[in-house]
């Protein structure tokens, strides 16, 4: 078993063991076992960091064995510069979420922790899969634990939110399955994704395949106008569910564009780039304005996620080295920042049991340490220089200006809207005099919460101050992808 298999199956194995323990097991032992499983899942990804060769665009850590012989389906895994950072990021966020959920989940703790560990392994599988059907299995399987996390441990409208999440994502994915089967037949019975990259496809076929993939990946990102499930899901999901959804699950769709849409249908991607750029700018500008009027903190950050992910798709479809690399950097940075934002909201919700901005005011007077962390993450969400939120957005804006000045101007408005809705929320929640008795009675963060937010703060600052390790990994792979996309695949 190679490193990638260990990264996938270690958390899944621990998750299955947790599910098998039963409800009556000691809660303390369950929590520690979940933490051990999450840390083990992170530790097995660390050799990837030292063993990855940044000078080549070839797949590394490759594992391949026959899975279903009759249909020539392989258990085929590998990483390149496009997917590399998402494996340790997924494992890292899982550890953070397990620690953050230590005390606020008191019912069915083994099932809650087990679902997150299984979800972690499945998401790593999505980023590693090099077989089309294996990718699809992992991609769809991630729906099940997240559906249960929302539906069991969510808020008052959790069933509605869980069904909406499941139906939106499943309906889009069905068209993708049709595209995968077409490519399987077209390639002479192969599900190998890299083989599909070389297929000479006609213009009509490329367009149909491009939009079949678009149906699944646009919903997952989510792009405007198929983003409406996200605010409802975030509002109802438990804190850990929101953190993982924003930090990792949204990236599955953006990664799908890189691995499938661009290299398999390059002519269609170039032909329909104007549509993708338009939808991305609508997400950046319009959804940013929608975030301004939100009264619920979770909804505000959810709409903020849609706007920030608009930067990612914008960067991908201006076909520029800086833009694509900036989009990937933005995906990683958004994982740290949005996860931290939702965990901060969770800290307040655990104490006051309200997500309404009007329920707070003057929190800095009673929770000064927490308010300092929240300010850092709010500034990163605005795109403040020297934080992770700045790097990717700046790269995409520079690439957009190079592509077209007005596109760059539209993208840059996101920095203004981001500052407006984030800082206005911070002002109303944290600054000023103590607003009510609930805020007056608040206790500052404990050691566990300080540890979670402190680790995320280090990650946000490190990536903002020294992004070179992140960009070095992807440069060669991005250059190869763009060279591939520039070449016509028309027969």
């Amino acid at each position: 078993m190679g490193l990638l298999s260990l990264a996938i199956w270690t958390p899944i194995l621990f998750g299955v063991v947790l599910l098998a323990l039963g409800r009556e097991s000691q809660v303390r032992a369950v929590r520690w076992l979940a933490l051990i499983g999450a840390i083990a899942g992170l530790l097995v990804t660390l050799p990837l960091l030292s063993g990855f060769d940044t000078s080549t665009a070839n797949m590394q850590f490759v594992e391949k064995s026959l899975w279903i012989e009759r249909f020539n389906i392989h258990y085929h895994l590998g990483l390149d510069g496009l997917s590399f950072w998402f494996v340790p990021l997924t494992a890292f966020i899982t550890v953070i979420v397990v620690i953050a959920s230590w005390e606020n989940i008191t019912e069915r703790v083994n099932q809650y922790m087990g679902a997150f560990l299984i979800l972690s392994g499945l998401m790593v599988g999505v980023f590693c899969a090099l077989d089309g059907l294996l990718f699809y299995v992992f991609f769809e399987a991630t729906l099940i634990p997240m559906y249960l996390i929302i539906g069991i441990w969510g808020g008052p409208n959790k069933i509605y939110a869980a069904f909406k999440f499941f139906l939106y994502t499943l309906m889009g994915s069905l068209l993708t399955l049709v595209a995968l089967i077409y490519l399987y037949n077209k390639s002479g019975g192969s599900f190998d994704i890299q083989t599909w990259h070389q297929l000479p496809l006609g213009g009509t076929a490329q367009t149909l395949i491009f939009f079949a993939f678009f149906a699944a990946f646009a919903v997952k990102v989510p792009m405007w106008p198929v983003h409406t499930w996200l605010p409802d899901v975030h509002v109802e999901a438990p804190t850990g569910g929101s953190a993982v959804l924003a930090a990792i699950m949204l990236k599955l769709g953006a990664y799908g564009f890189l691995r499938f849409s661009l290299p398999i249908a390059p002519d269609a991607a170039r032909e329909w780039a104007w549509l993708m750029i338009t939808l991305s700018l609508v997400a950046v500008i319009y959804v940013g304005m929608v975030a301004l009027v939100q009264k619920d903190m979770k909804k505000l950050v959810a709409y903020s996620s849609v706007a920030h992910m608009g930067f990612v798709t914008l960067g991908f479809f201006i076909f520029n080295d800086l833009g694509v690399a900036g989009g990937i950097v933005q995906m990683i940075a958004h994982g740290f920042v949005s996860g931290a934002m939702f965990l901060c909201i969770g800290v307040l919700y655990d104490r006051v049991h309200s997500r309404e901005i009007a329920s707070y005011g003057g929190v800095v007077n009673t929770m000064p340490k927490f308010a300092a962390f929240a300010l850092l993450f709010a500034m990163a969400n605005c795109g403040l220089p020297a934080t992770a939120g700045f790097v990717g957005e700046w790269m995409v804006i520079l690439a957009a200006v190079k592509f077209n000045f007005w596109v760059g101007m539209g993208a840059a408005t996101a920095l203004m809207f981001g500052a407006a809705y984030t800082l206005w929320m911070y002002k109303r929640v944290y600054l000023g005099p103590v607003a009510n008795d609930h805020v007056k009675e608040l206790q500052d963060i404990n050691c566990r919460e300080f540890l979670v937010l402190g680790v995320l703060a280090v990650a946000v600052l490190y990536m903002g101050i020294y992004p070179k390790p992140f960009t070095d990994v992807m440069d060669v792979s991005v250059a190869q992808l763009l060279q591939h996309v520039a070449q016509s695949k028309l027969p």
Side-chain angles (χ1 to χ4, degrees):
M1 184 177 284
L3 286 173
L4 298 186
S5 287
L6 282 173
I8 294 169
W9 298 107
T10 298
I12 291 177
L13 178 62
F14 273 92
V16 171
V17 170
L18 284 168
L19 293 179
L21 288 177
R23 294 186 199 174
E24 305 304 320
S25 303
Q26 286 190 341
V27 171
R28 183 177 175 83
V30 164
R31 287 171 176 155
W32 278 107
L33 183 60
L35 181 59
I36 291 168
I39 292 173
L42 177 61
L43 290 177
V44 297
T45 67
L46 296 184
L48 300 173
L49 299 174
S50 58
F52 190 82
D53 183 0
T54 59
S55 65
T56 177
N58 295 331
M59 289 294 170
Q60 301 179 48
F61 311 106
V62 175
E63 301 172 38
K64 188 173 184 179
S65 57
L66 197 58
W67 178 24
I68 303 174
E69 185 174 358
R70 181 179 177 185
F71 298 105
N72 195 28
I73 301 170
H74 289 79
Y75 177 77
H76 189 187
L77 307 175
L79 286 181
D80 64 358
L82 304 179
S83 55
F84 172 78
W85 274 111
F86 299 108
V87 174
L89 175 65
T90 302
F92 171 75
I93 293 295
T94 304
V95 175
I96 293 294
V97 165
V98 168
I99 299 172
S101 306
W102 199 261
E103 293 176 357
N104 59 8
I105 298 296
T106 55
E107 296 181 358
R108 301 182 179 183
V109 178
N110 66 305
Q111 296 173 18
Y112 181 85
M113 296 296 189
F116 271 109
L117 289 176
I118 292 170
L119 177 61
S120 174
L122 294 173
M123 290 189 297
V124 170
V126 173
F127 294 120
C128 296
L130 296 180
D131 181 276
L133 195 69
L134 184 66
F135 173 90
Y136 187 78
V137 169
F138 280 131
F139 190 81
E140 292 301 288
T142 58
L143 297 181
I144 300 168
M146 183 54 78
Y147 173 79
L148 295 174
I149 289 165
I150 299 164
I152 297 174
W153 293 277
N157 293 322
K158 58 191 177 185
I159 303 300
Y160 165 77
F163 266 100
K164 191 170 185 180
F165 164 74
F166 195 87
L167 289 175
Y168 260 76
T169 47
L170 181 66
M171 291 297 286
S173 299
L174 292 177
L175 284 174
T176 297
L177 181 59
V178 175
L180 296 180
I181 294 170
Y182 172 84
L183 290 167
Y184 171 78
N185 291 324
K186 190 74 175 176
S187 60
S190 173
F191 275 109
D192 186 75
I193 295 172
Q194 291 173 295
T195 300
W196 290 351
H197 290 179
Q198 308 305 324
L199 286 178
L201 299 172
T204 303
Q206 283 198 39
T207 299
L208 292 174
I209 287 169
F210 180 82
F211 281 104
F213 286 136
F214 175 84
F217 301 146
V219 168
K220 204 76 157 188
V221 167
M223 295 182 70
W224 182 89
V226 288
H227 67 288
T228 55
W229 62 271
L230 187 69
D232 292 329
V233 169
H234 271 311
V235 165
E236 299 304 325
T239 301
S242 287
V244 168
L245 181 64
I248 308 297
M249 286 199 76
L250 304 189
K251 315 305 182 291
L252 302 182
Y255 172 72
F257 282 122
L258 286 178
R259 187 64 74 210
F260 288 86
S261 303
L262 290 173
I264 293 175
D267 296 287
R270 293 197 304 271
E271 182 183 350
W272 293 98
W274 65 269
L275 176 64
M276 300 298 292
I277 291 169
T278 303
L279 295 179
S280 300
L281 287 175
V282 170
V284 167
I285 299 169
Y286 168 69
V287 178
M289 294 172 70
V290 171
L292 273 169
V293 299
Q294 298 306 312
K295 299 177 180 178
D296 184 304
M297 287 187 287
K298 266 197 168 184
K299 270 198 173 179
L300 189 149
V301 179
Y303 281 114
S304 168
S305 289
V306 177
H308 284 110
M309 290 303 290
F311 265 99
V312 174
T313 49
L314 175 64
F316 291 171
F317 284 89
I318 53 183
F319 305 118
N320 176 300
D321 284 44
L322 201 59
V324 176
I328 300 172
V329 170
Q330 173 71 353
M331 288 163 71
I332 302 165
H334 183 258
F336 293 134
V337 176
S338 66
M341 294 282 287
F342 280 112
L343 290 172
C344 284
I345 295 169
V347 167
L348 291 175
Y349 184 79
D350 291 341
R351 289 159 167 76
V352 181
H353 300 292
S354 173
R355 293 181 302 268
E356 294 294 318
I357 293 172
S359 300
Y360 298 92
V363 171
V364 69
N365 297 288
T366 50
M367 302 179 73
K369 295 177 187 174
F370 172 65
F373 279 122
L375 179 62
L376 170 64
F377 299 134
M379 290 298 181
N381 200 52
C382 298
L384 183 76
T387 64
F390 172 76
V391 183
E393 291 188 5
W394 183 242
M395 291 170 73
V396 172
I397 290 171
L398 287 176
V401 170
K402 187 176 178 182
F403 171 78
N404 181 289
F405 174 79
W406 296 108
V407 171
M409 177 74 86
T413 60
L415 298 177
M416 294 183 284
F417 288 126
Y421 58 69
T422 306
L423 296 181
W424 194 36
M425 178 184 74
Y426 189 87
K427 172 185 176 293
R428 289 179 289 168
V429 172
Y430 295 93
L431 303 182
V434 173
N436 54 52
D437 291 338
H438 292 301
V439 175
K440 191 175 183 179
E441 295 168 4
L442 288 176
Q443 298 291 318
D444 211 343
I445 50 177
N446 56 35
C447 293
R448 176 183 56 83
E449 292 165 331
F450 190 94
L451 173 66
V452 168
L453 298 179
V455 170
L456 283 168
V458 170
V460 167
L461 289 172
Y462 177 79
M463 188 175 181
I465 295 168
Y466 189 59
K468 190 173 185 291
F470 298 92
T471 55
D472 281 355
V473 164
M474 62 189 70
D475 283 345
V476 179
S477 295
V478 167
Q480 187 193 58
L481 173 66
L482 289 174
Q483 184 181 2
H484 177 86
V485 171
Q487 298 167 354
S488 176
K489 289 292 176 289
L490 295 173

